[in-house]
């Protein structure tokens, strides 16, 4: 059975981690299949939003601890191999020209938390839980956790999660800024599908440029950011979506964007 299920419905491409018996724990095979899925959907012109979620009761419990235990004397080399695809996945999600909606259907722990935060918009089921968990097995974080957490909640709160192993409920994670929306469990699947469809109906090329700008804003000075914004709004003005948006505004009707 594939460790990752890829589906497409309209403009929404879904990537679903599929090891429910292992709480979607990350291993070598899943790493390869996730990378392939992001690459394929990111390059598909018909896909205008990517929904990233898990099968069963978990988003992902993080790295497969049984696999880690099998590294034994070669643990250091094993982790270098295991994280190379994980980190390529996180970078690919951030660079993907399509909006990525992380739909956290259950626990997101360790690398599972990192993967969720690599999305552009995080939605959680009310029963979802968030925890770093690395300290439980004597590890430091990976998967960009330190990058995302320090920026989302500040270094001191990030260190609190690291030092205490604290688990955040969905509503608390939202209050901290890790989650943008919490949905009731019974409405989670339909609610995330509706949100993904709404995003997919938007101006895809403009979203891609906005995503590039937000990524660059993390590491460059204001003047450079202003010039990047200037160049990208100029490029956006050459798209059919811009022309449609102006026509719709003047005609007092909702725009119909085609992502072109």
């Amino acid at each position: 059975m594939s460790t990752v299920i890829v589906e497409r419905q309209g403009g929404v491409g879904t990537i679903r981690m599929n090891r429910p018996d292992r709480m979607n724990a990350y291993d070598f095979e899943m790493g390869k299949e996730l990378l392939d899925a992001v690459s394929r959907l990111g390059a598909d012109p018909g896909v205008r939003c990517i929904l990233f979620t898990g099968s069963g009761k978990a988003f992902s419990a993080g790295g497969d601890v049984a696999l880690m235990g099998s590294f034994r004397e070669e643990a250091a080399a094993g982790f270098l191999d295991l994280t190379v695809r994980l980190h390529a996945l996180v970078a690919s999600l951030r660079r993907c020209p399509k909006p990525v909606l992380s739909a956290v259907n259950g626990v997101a722990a360790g690398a599972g938390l990192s993967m969720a935060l690599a999305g552009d918009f995080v939605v959680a089921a009310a029963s979802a839980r968030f925890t770093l968990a690395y300290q439980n097995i004597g590890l430091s974080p990976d998967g960009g956790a330190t990058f995302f957490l320090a920026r989302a909640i500040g270094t001191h709160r990030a260190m609190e999660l690291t030092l205490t192993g604290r688990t955040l409920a969905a509503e608390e994670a939202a209050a901290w800024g890790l989650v943008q929306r919490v949905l009731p469990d019974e409405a989670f699947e339909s609610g995330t599908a509706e949100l993904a469809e709404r995003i997919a109906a938007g101006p895809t090329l403009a979203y891609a440029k906005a995503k590039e700008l937000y990524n660059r804003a993390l590491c460059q000075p204001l003047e450079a950011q202003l010039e990047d914004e200037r160049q990208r709004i100029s490029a956006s003005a050459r798209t059919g979506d811009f022309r449609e948006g102006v026509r719709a505004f003047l005609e007092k009707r909702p725009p119909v964007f085609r992502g072109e």
Side-chain angles (χ1 to χ4, degrees), residues 3 17 36 41 47 68 92 95 177 182 187 191 201 226 228 231 245 248 254:
T3 64
M17 292 177 281
D36 290 346
L41 294 182
V47 172
M68 298 176 196
S92 295
R95 292 174 182 164
V182 178
L226 288 170
D228 278 348
Q231 295 299 327

Side-chain angles (χ1 to χ4, degrees), residues 218-230:
L218 297 171
C219 59
Q220 68 179 1
L222 173 61
E223 290 80 3
Q225 188 70 14
L226 288 170
E227 180 58 24
D228 278 348
E229 289 182 350
R230 178 170 170 263

Side-chain angles (χ1 to χ4, degrees), residues 136-151:
N136 294 336
I137 54 173
L139 292 175
S140 57
D142 64 357
T146 56
F147 181 93
F148 296 123
L149 287 173
R151 285 160 176 77

